[in-house]
Amino acid sequence: MKKLSVNKLLLTILLLSIPFNFIAINGIGNVYISTFIIFIQSLLLIVLIRDKLINNKNVIIAIFVYLLLFSTTAINIILDNRELLKSQIVNSIIYLQNFLVFIIIYHLLQKKDYSYFFRLFLFIMIVASIRIAIEEPDKILKFSEVRGERIEALFIGGVNNYALLLAIAFIISFFKIKNTYIRLMSAFFWLLLISLTMSRGALLGAVLTIFIVAYYDRERKTLKSLIRMSIGLTLVGLLSLIYLNKLDLVVTQFNDRFLSLFTGGTSISKFSAGRGIIWSDILSKIKTSSIYENILGHGFGSIDFTVTGAPYQSSHNIFIDIFYKNGYLVFSGYIFLLIKLLDYFLKNRTKENLTIFGIFIFLHLELFVNPFFFAAQIGWIYSIFLVIFLKQKSYS
């Protein structure tokens, strides 16, 4: 019991770094308080339970993968392009903290019941939302996609990452809250906040995920709940917008932001914020790379170039990023891992797996357009859920 309490305390401190994050050191790259907490917890666990910590094949594999990636990054810096030294160092630290959280969480989450973690996550997102309301009150109801007018949420890695975490909170609420009315109001609350961010990826991903999970659920209870909640949320939403006198504004903004592609109001290139051009540019660089670079990658911080006059450090697609940065070897291993996890979920379509499966689907839909894994503030959240996905499989 004492051990479990210590684990919960460490987990709570780690997640509290999300809403209370700030830049601790501003140097070569911004070092956040969350990074310090991750490193301190890592050192603490190494000192106290070093033998138990690495007594797991997945932890050992994670350590090996990071050392391999770090080595290839160092070789690329020495032999190829020292101009990217700063970017490579910054991203090396980001990768390291993500791998460290993977190891930490393997120890902290030792049971299949994640009720405490889910409750804590919802609480963390409420606190983070309160901070945004305090820091950016003038941007909350603008429903704007214009930089400077839309919610920034820089302490959480930007508005799209904030929307991503809100969508996870929505999925947890949808499947974990048993009381119908509380679940309805909670789901409406999270969807409203996602809408305020004007994040297409998070909103569309969350909605699509719920429908996918409804099909995944053998008992079809999810589909029935979805129909009831859709009707309820629509009514509550319309009444709220009418009361706030925001109905016309929201209809116009949502048509431009979310429906313009389907109505012919915008092109695919413009709707996707030019990501197709970025992807095409990176793919062309892959074609001209050496065999070594294609197999082992260009290094942690190798994407740092200009496309259509704008600087980019990511393709906005984690699969392209991993292939370019870390090479075919790691990319193949990552795809193999995802296929194995998906295969597990498809073979174990149980009520207990609905929440975890929903988060699994949503995160990997989101990673097609938002590689949040590389965000120093919250990239390590992916490591937490990756451990949960793997542990689900180990308990089967």
Side-chain angles (χ1 to χ4, degrees):
M1 186 69 177
K2 183 178 179 181
K3 184 178 180 181
L4 183 62
S5 298
V6 172
N7 287 356
K8 285 183 178 180
L9 176 62
L10 292 175
L11 180 62
T12 302
I13 292 172
L14 180 61
L15 288 185
L16 277 173
S17 70
I18 295 176
F20 296 110
N21 216 355
F22 60 88
I23 298 174
I25 299 176
N26 192 337
I28 295 178
N30 293 332
V31 179
Y32 291 85
I33 191 65
S34 56
T35 303
F36 279 108
I37 291 174
I38 291 168
F39 276 85
I40 290 171
Q41 289 197 1
S42 300
L43 291 173
L44 180 64
L45 292 179
I46 288 172
V47 170
L48 297 178
I49 53 165
R50 179 175 61 257
D51 295 335
K52 292 183 180 179
L53 198 62
I54 61 173
N55 189 26
N56 183 284
K57 66 176 182 180
N58 289 323
V59 171
I60 295 173
I61 290 172
I63 294 172
F64 171 77
V65 170
Y66 182 80
L67 292 176
L68 172 65
L69 297 180
F70 184 81
S71 299
T72 57
T73 298
I75 292 172
N76 274 296
I77 292 173
I78 295 170
L79 299 180
D80 187 25
N81 194 346
R82 298 189 184 185
E83 293 179 1
L84 295 177
L85 179 61
K86 174 183 175 182
S87 178
Q88 297 277 29
I89 291 174
V90 170
N91 282 274
S92 295
I93 296 173
I94 292 173
Y95 267 78
L96 178 58
Q97 72 174 17
N98 294 350
F99 276 89
L100 288 176
V101 169
F102 182 88
I103 296 170
I104 291 170
I105 295 301
Y106 240 105
H107 174 72
L108 298 187
L109 293 180
Q110 296 183 347
K111 294 187 177 182
K112 191 177 180 180
D113 182 14
Y114 304 118
S115 299
Y116 176 77
F117 171 75
F118 289 141
R119 291 196 302 270
L120 176 62
F121 190 90
L122 294 179
F123 172 75
I124 292 299
M125 289 314 300
I126 290 173
V127 176
S129 300
I130 291 173
R131 175 174 173 178
I132 289 173
I134 293 173
E135 293 184 349
E136 307 179 53
D138 57 321
K139 300 176 182 177
I140 293 177
L141 293 178
K142 281 192 173 182
F143 290 96
S144 177
E145 60 182 289
V146 179
R147 290 184 180 275
E149 292 184 5
R150 70 186 299 192
I151 297 170
E152 299 294 337
L154 296 179
F155 69 93
I156 221 166
V159 65
N160 288 324
N161 290 337
Y162 171 56
L164 178 144
L165 297 183
L166 290 174
I168 295 174
F170 166 73
I171 293 169
I172 293 173
S173 297
F174 190 94
F175 293 108
K176 283 299 180 182
I177 297 178
K178 300 190 184 312
N179 184 284
T180 302
Y181 297 105
I182 297 177
R183 180 158 42 128
L184 176 65
M185 296 309 298
S186 177
F188 173 73
F189 174 71
W190 298 122
L191 281 178
L192 173 62
L193 292 184
I194 296 172
S195 301
L196 293 177
T197 67
M198 297 297 286
S199 173
R200 286 187 296 233
L203 184 60
L204 296 176
V207 173
L208 183 58
T209 294
I210 297 300
F211 280 98
I212 292 174
V213 178
Y215 177 77
Y216 175 83
D217 184 6
R218 293 184 186 274
E219 298 179 6
R220 293 293 183 262
K221 290 183 179 180
T222 304
L223 183 60
K224 295 176 183 177
S225 297
L226 179 61
I227 294 172
R228 289 196 300 267
M229 290 187 68
S230 296
I231 296 172
L233 288 172
T234 300
L235 291 175
V236 172
L238 286 174
L239 291 174
S240 300
L241 292 174
I242 292 172
Y243 176 78
L244 294 170
N245 197 27
K246 295 282 185 179
L247 185 59
D248 292 339
L249 171 64
V250 170
V251 169
T252 301
Q253 290 285 65
F254 266 64
N255 178 62
D256 291 341
R257 183 69 173 165
F258 296 95
L259 304 177
S260 55
L261 176 65
F262 309 102
T263 60
T266 187
S267 65
I268 294 177
S269 177
K270 185 177 180 182
F271 186 80
S272 63
R275 286 186 175 89
I277 299 174
I278 304 168
W279 297 348
S280 176
D281 191 84
I282 292 181
L283 290 174
S284 68
K285 290 180 181 294
I286 290 174
K287 291 179 181 178
T288 58
S289 298
S290 66
I291 295 177
Y292 168 81
E293 289 170 331
N294 281 331
I295 294 177
L296 296 176
H298 294 73
F300 291 130
S302 52
I303 298 181
D304 190 3
F305 43 80
T306 301
V307 178
T308 62
Y312 284 92
Q313 293 185 326
S314 169
S315 68
H316 292 280
N317 181 307
I318 196 172
F319 302 100
I320 295 177
D321 280 6
I322 287 178
F323 192 101
Y324 186 83
K325 292 182 175 183
N326 308 129
Y328 174 79
L329 193 63
V330 171
F331 174 80
S332 299
Y334 180 58
I335 297 299
F336 177 77
L337 173 63
L338 296 185
I339 291 173
K340 293 293 289 185
L341 288 172
L342 181 60
D343 180 64
Y344 161 75
F345 281 120
L346 293 178
K347 289 179 179 177
N348 295 272
R349 294 165 64 176
T350 63
K351 181 180 178 182
E352 291 74 22
N353 277 341
L354 293 181
T355 308
I356 306 299
F357 176 71
I359 296 173
F360 174 81
I361 292 297
F362 170 75
L363 285 180
H364 294 96
L365 286 175
E366 184 74 6
L367 284 171
F368 271 103
V369 294
N370 178 17
F372 68 96
F373 179 84
F374 306 118
Q377 301 93 324
I378 66 153
W380 46 271
I381 285 290
Y382 182 74
S383 298
I384 295 179
F385 286 109
L386 186 58
V387 170
I388 292 176
F389 302 148
L390 288 167
K391 280 184 173 287
Q392 290 291 110
K393 188 174 185 302
S394 67
Y395 281 114
S396 62

